[in-house]
Amino acid sequence: MPLELAKRVSGDLLRSLGAGDRFEVLAFSNDTSTLTGGVQEWNGNTLAMALAVLGSLRASGGTEMATAIRAASRTLRPG
């Protein structure tokens, strides 16, 4: 099950972060949406929130990855 594997890998990545790190979780199918309301500072509360939204994610639509990559890149700092 591709989605279950993606959720497990994403959860492992989130748990590997620490103080001073920032993250955003995006979902993509036919379109892209943020699951975390934008970029978040990592802490116990934001980690728990991100893991909860990952756990509730269900497959739907297609897998339009290019749009998600562009959306994720918009939040990067120049340089």
Side-chain angles (χ1 to χ4, degrees):
M1 299 190 191
L3 178 59
E4 292 307 313
L5 179 58
K7 287 165 50 173
R8 186 171 52 210
V9 169
S10 297
D12 289 346
L13 289 169
L14 287 165
R15 283 186 286 275
S16 76
L17 299 176
D21 289 328
R22 296 167 25 130
F23 68 91
E24 181 175 20
V25 179
L26 300 173
F28 63 92
S29 57
N30 294 328
D31 58 357
T32 302
S33 61
T34 180
L35 298 180
T36 53
V39 176
Q40 301 291 318
E41 295 284 335
W42 185 95
N43 62 50
N45 292 332
T46 57
L47 173 61
M49 177 269 300
L51 293 174
V53 296
L54 273 177
S56 68
L57 191 60
R58 301 290 175 251
S60 67
T63 53
E64 181 52 45
M65 188 179 281
T67 303
I69 292 170
R70 282 192 296 277
S73 297
R74 281 194 298 266
T75 61
L76 298 177
R77 294 179 301 206

